Amino acid sequence: MNIAWITDSTTILPDSISQHDDLTVVPLLVMKDGESFTDGVDVQAETVYQWIGAKHKVTTSQPSIGTFTEHYERLKEKYDVGFAIHLSSELSGTYNASVQGAEIAGFRLIAIDSRCGIYPAGQLLAEAMQLAADGMSIEDIEQYILDRRFDHHIEFTVENLNQLQAGGRISSTKAFVGNLLQLRPMFHFEEGKIVPYQTVRTFKKAHAKIYDHLVEMLESGAVTDVSLFHATAYDLALEWKSSLEKRFDVTVRIDDLTPVLGSHTGNPAIGMSFLNPTSRL
């Protein structure tokens, strides 16, 4: 059985699959004052931050159903089935557009709502590919990933709350008061949604708490592969990486947020994400 693997541009791909011949990455869109740009193709994150700083209206949009239909019309000529893992449907309509596009194209698609995103979504995709290579049936892989998708951990914080407010993640009142008093929430994923779980004074204290939390989890031995994702906070991420790799037997990668994701966090922002290890693979 020939399997096409599909994801969207919000997914951070492990190096092991980033150049996979059977992988298709469908990009989301960044909107500047109503004009659309393809995520990571027509625009890069640095430009998006410049737009935000210049007070342009920056929003995002899912790929259209027609875009997915075109991809699936092409894929069905070569592949028997598609296996897609997409950003949480609580955050984007990308998953639903993918499903509808496959239906229109008449392409058999197994689509997974990851209930997360970024690196854990990429890790889920890598595990699905490995299971297929090991001979597991596509139906069993689907059930495995549906169960496995809740094993993720994602935390992050931001310096400025304006973009989170613009994207509807927090209210305008909370953004105003938070910026005024330098209150910085820390966020995590809960049931596919991004929710604040603690608020402290200053960005520095917020990211220090996230780092300390990551250290606690590494000390428990439950984590082996971590993505530090950021928006214009590379030096801080590098500091974390250097410190963690000296103390623990762990692989730590540094990932820039894509233009779409960075448009929601604004900059600077930093966080960590991983999929809990499994004995299955």
Side-chain angles (χ1 to χ4, degrees):
M1 176 181 289
N2 291 328
I3 304 173
W5 304 97
I6 303 103
T7 191
D8 57 72
S9 62
T10 65
T11 297
I12 293 174
L13 297 169
D15 293 339
S16 61
I17 65 169
S18 62
Q19 302 300 318
H20 198 288
D21 291 339
D22 300 318
L23 175 64
T24 295
V25 179
V26 182
L28 277 73
L29 300 174
V30 180
M31 315 294 290
K32 173 202 171 193
D33 300 329
E35 183 180 2
S36 66
F37 298 84
T38 305
D39 190 27
V41 178
D42 299 332
V43 64
Q44 301 303 318
E46 294 79 5
T47 301
V48 169
Y49 304 139
Q50 291 172 7
W51 292 345
I52 293 171
K55 306 302 181 183
H56 290 284
K57 183 179 180 180
V58 179
T59 58
T60 62
S61 177
Q62 69 206 40
S64 69
I65 295 172
T67 295
F68 275 111
T69 301
E70 291 175 3
H71 279 288
Y72 294 143
E73 289 282 4
R74 173 177 56 82
L75 291 176
K76 74 178 185 181
E77 296 179 1
K78 180 179 178 181
Y79 298 96
D80 303 306
V81 61
F83 195 104
I85 296 180
H86 290 299
L87 178 65
S88 173
S89 63
E90 296 287 349
L91 305 178
S92 170
T94 301
Y95 165 80
N96 290 323
S98 178
V99 171
Q100 293 178 62
E103 290 176 351
I104 293 171
F107 181 58
R108 182 188 173 197
L109 178 71
I110 294 174
I112 303 289
D113 175 357
S114 71
R115 310 301 285 175
C116 58
I118 53 175
Y119 194 49
Q123 291 175 299
L124 287 173
L125 188 61
E127 289 191 4
M129 289 180 173
Q130 184 60 58
L131 291 171
D134 291 342
M136 181 181 284
S137 72
I138 196 75
E139 293 80 11
D140 286 344
I141 295 173
E142 177 184 15
Q143 188 56 58
Y144 172 86
I145 297 297
L146 286 172
D147 294 337
R148 179 82 166 116
R149 60 186 172 157
F150 295 103
D151 290 341
H152 65 266
H153 192 97
I154 302 172
E155 291 184 44
F156 70 96
T157 190
V158 301
E159 167 67 294
N160 190 292
L161 303 178
N162 292 338
Q163 285 306 111
L164 286 171
Q165 181 270 317
R169 305 304 174 203
I170 60 175
S171 69
S172 57
T173 301
K174 285 184 178 180
F176 175 77
V177 173
N179 285 332
L180 183 66
L181 300 180
Q182 293 192 61
L183 298 175
R184 294 296 173 262
M186 292 170 282
F187 299 89
H188 66 183
F189 272 66
E190 189 174 292
E191 297 298 326
K193 299 178 182 178
I194 295 174
V195 297
Y197 68 91
Q198 187 178 353
T199 300
V200 297
R201 290 291 299 274
T202 78
F203 178 59
K204 183 176 181 179
K205 289 182 179 178
H207 67 64
K209 280 188 172 290
I210 290 176
Y211 175 81
D212 289 343
H213 192 195
L214 178 55
V215 167
E216 290 175 8
M217 289 182 284
L218 289 172
E219 287 176 338
S220 73
V223 186
T224 58
D225 185 10
V226 176
S227 166
L228 304 178
F229 58 90
H230 72 96
T232 66
Y234 176 80
D235 289 345
L236 178 59
L238 182 60
E239 180 183 323
W240 286 15
K241 173 181 168 69
S242 300
S243 177
L244 293 170
E245 290 185 334
K246 286 178 182 177
R247 295 179 59 181
F248 303 102
D249 182 18
V250 60
T251 300
V252 181
R253 54 182 289 152
I254 298 175
D255 292 300
D256 295 326
L257 285 176
T258 67
V260 159
L261 296 178
S263 72
H264 287 284
T265 63
N267 67 299
I270 191 165
M272 53 92 162
S273 69
F274 56 85
L275 197 64
N276 291 323
T278 177
S279 59
R280 181 64 183 266
L281 298 172

